Amino acid sequence: MIQLKNVSKIYRTKNGEISAVNDVNLSINKGEIFGIIGYSGAGKSTLIRLLNGLEKPTDGTVEVNGQLISSITGNKLRVARQKISMIFQHFNLLWSRTVADNIAFPLEIAGIAKTERDKKVKELIDLVGLSGRENAYPSQLSGGQKQRVGIARALANNPEVLLCDEATSALDPETTDSILELLLDINKRLGLTIVLITHEMHVIKKICNRVAVMEAGRVVEQGEVLQVFQNPQADITKNFVHQITGSKESQGSIEQILINYPTGRIVKLTFVGQKTEQPVISKLIKQFNVEVNIVHGNISQTTSGPYGTLLIQIDGDAQNVQNALAFLETNEIQTEVIEHA
């Protein structure tokens, strides 16, 4: 569906060159929700503008739905863009138009007859949960309602790709979740490919199938969300995962834990998918005659299943403790024994 090959974007200014995107390679499948996460200045917004042709790459190629967006121009580009819609952080609604008229706007531009236009607008209003608000103006809407209008307008021309540029950043957490649920529902109902850029790992965790992590214009890590949660490689990815799991312990906190639990072994367990539902602790106690204390624990839900971390103390006969550790390893539970620095 979407292919980026060796894509770079360099802006040339009077103060020199700025490399916004640097040798990015991405493959996004039809019908998936793909997240791109990074802090401000990582190159996310430039990358998403390359996907709809608002920017042209300095090097490399961008292909969307069979069209080489990086090279086509004029009418071919306009036609291709009709299948690539976008929603924004600050909604970009027409304040002098009602909800229905905002949604109808792209249909008017496309020359759709009024009868068909009105029918489509009603369908979209129902789809995004705004029934009864069609005659309201943007100033009369909440932030979440405004974004629902933006989503409905983006869907008016039956796009095959929906680009979301920090679409929930201006919303409170509860409203953010409702918009993410709406995007997930639209993805399932319409089979729409969604590319979502954000600086919030919660957004990635909530609805994305796969994720690419950007830093200084480069994609430093990518993969299925659950795999990235389980085994983050880049430091920036570890920071993002920590936002959700709270699984990153400082050396100071590690040392304090070891002081508080001077005997036995302190072990960090990582569970993925159905492993999070297994009665691991009770099995350790019953089968190996060891004492187990839970020091800290956290479970997060992703679209691919749950991910959890657990910090425990295992105490008892040295051989029994060793047998318990071996049992954890053989049951495919990622195990890390915490030692003094």
Side-chain angles (χ1 to χ4, degrees):
M1 166 57 79
I2 299 175
Q3 296 279 343
L4 287 83
K5 296 180 180 178
N6 306 115
V7 171
S8 295
K9 177 64 179 179
I10 297 173
Y11 293 102
R12 293 178 173 86
T13 70
K14 62 181 180 180
N15 297 320
E17 294 185 345
I18 298 173
S19 180
V21 174
N22 193 341
D23 195 28
V24 168
N25 291 276
L26 285 178
S27 179
I28 299 173
N29 301 321
K30 181 177 175 62
E32 79 171 325
I33 304 179
F34 191 93
I36 300 172
I37 189 169
Y39 294 118
S40 297
K44 309 184 303 296
S45 293
T46 299
L47 188 64
I48 208 168
R49 287 168 66 86
L50 290 165
L51 295 181
N52 60 11
L54 290 175
E55 298 281 0
K56 295 291 184 183
T58 306
D59 293 297
T61 59
V62 178
E63 183 178 329
V64 180
N65 198 27
Q67 294 285 337
L68 208 58
I69 300 296
S70 52
S71 60
I72 59 175
T73 58
N75 189 58
K76 284 187 176 180
L77 180 58
R78 284 191 291 272
V79 171
R81 278 180 179 159
Q82 290 179 2
K83 294 299 180 181
I84 308 171
S85 284
M86 193 163 180
I87 57 175
F88 307 89
Q89 177 180 358
H90 296 297
F91 322 124
N92 290 8
L93 302 181
L94 300 171
W95 294 88
S96 61
R97 283 176 167 247
T98 63
V99 166
D101 289 341
N102 263 284
I103 298 169
F105 187 62
L107 298 171
E108 292 174 23
I109 294 175
I112 304 301
K114 188 176 187 309
T115 302
E116 186 178 347
R117 207 162 63 220
D118 290 345
K119 180 182 177 182
K120 182 68 174 179
V121 168
K122 185 181 184 308
E123 290 174 357
L124 290 170
I125 285 174
D126 291 341
L127 177 65
V128 301
L130 285 175
S131 298
R133 302 295 285 163
E134 48 265 63
N135 295 319
Y137 288 88
S139 61
Q140 299 170 309
L141 303 177
S142 67
Q145 289 172 329
K146 290 172 188 172
Q147 193 57 282
R148 288 173 184 270
V149 177
I151 293 170
R153 183 181 59 185
L155 297 176
N157 282 324
N158 300 316
E160 297 183 3
V161 177
L162 179 62
L163 307 178
C164 305
D165 187 359
E166 298 278 9
T168 60
S169 293
L171 306 175
D172 63 74
E174 184 175 349
T175 306
T176 291
D177 281 349
S178 70
I179 293 298
L180 294 176
E181 290 287 354
L182 175 60
L183 289 174
L184 193 59
D185 181 58
I186 289 169
N187 167 259
K188 290 177 179 177
R189 286 198 197 189
L190 306 181
L192 196 64
T193 303
I194 299 177
V195 181
L196 189 153
I197 73 170
T198 182
H199 63 275
E200 299 172 298
M201 198 63 178
H202 169 76
V203 172
I204 300 295
K205 180 199 76 168
K206 183 82 175 177
I207 66 170
C208 293
N209 307 114
R210 292 190 299 137
V211 61
V213 183
M214 289 194 72
E215 184 177 29
R218 291 183 176 274
V219 171
V220 297
E221 191 165 352
Q222 60 177 301
E224 294 184 6
V225 170
L226 199 55
Q227 291 176 344
V228 170
F229 265 62
Q230 181 183 7
N231 193 26
Q233 298 296 308
D235 287 342
I236 186 174
T237 311
K238 293 174 183 178
N239 288 337
F240 278 126
V241 171
H242 173 56
Q243 290 179 6
I244 300 299
T245 65
S247 60
K248 178 182 177 183
E249 297 85 18
S250 68
Q251 191 58 47
S253 64
I254 291 286
E255 292 297 334
Q256 188 59 52
I257 288 170
L258 292 170
I259 291 170
N260 292 341
Y261 297 89
T263 61
R265 308 299 294 271
I266 299 297
V267 183
K268 181 178 178 180
L269 308 179
T270 302
F271 305 84
V272 176
Q274 293 181 348
K275 298 293 182 185
T276 59
E277 301 171 4
Q278 294 183 359
V280 174
I281 301 301
S282 62
K283 284 184 178 180
L284 290 181
I285 296 170
K286 290 178 181 178
Q287 293 184 26
F288 301 101
N289 192 29
V290 292
E291 293 182 0
V292 180
N293 291 312
I294 296 174
V295 179
H296 176 75
N298 187 289
I299 293 179
S300 293
Q301 294 293 331
T302 75
T303 52
S304 303
Y307 164 88
T309 59
L310 193 64
L311 207 61
I312 63 174
Q313 177 207 32
I314 305 178
D315 203 357
D317 177 79
Q319 187 58 54
N320 289 348
V321 171
Q322 196 59 41
N323 291 340
L325 292 173
F327 167 81
L328 293 170
E329 293 283 2
T330 56
N331 278 269
E332 299 178 357
I333 298 169
Q334 186 175 320
T335 305
E336 177 188 357
V337 177
I338 306 297
E339 308 281 3
H340 284 278

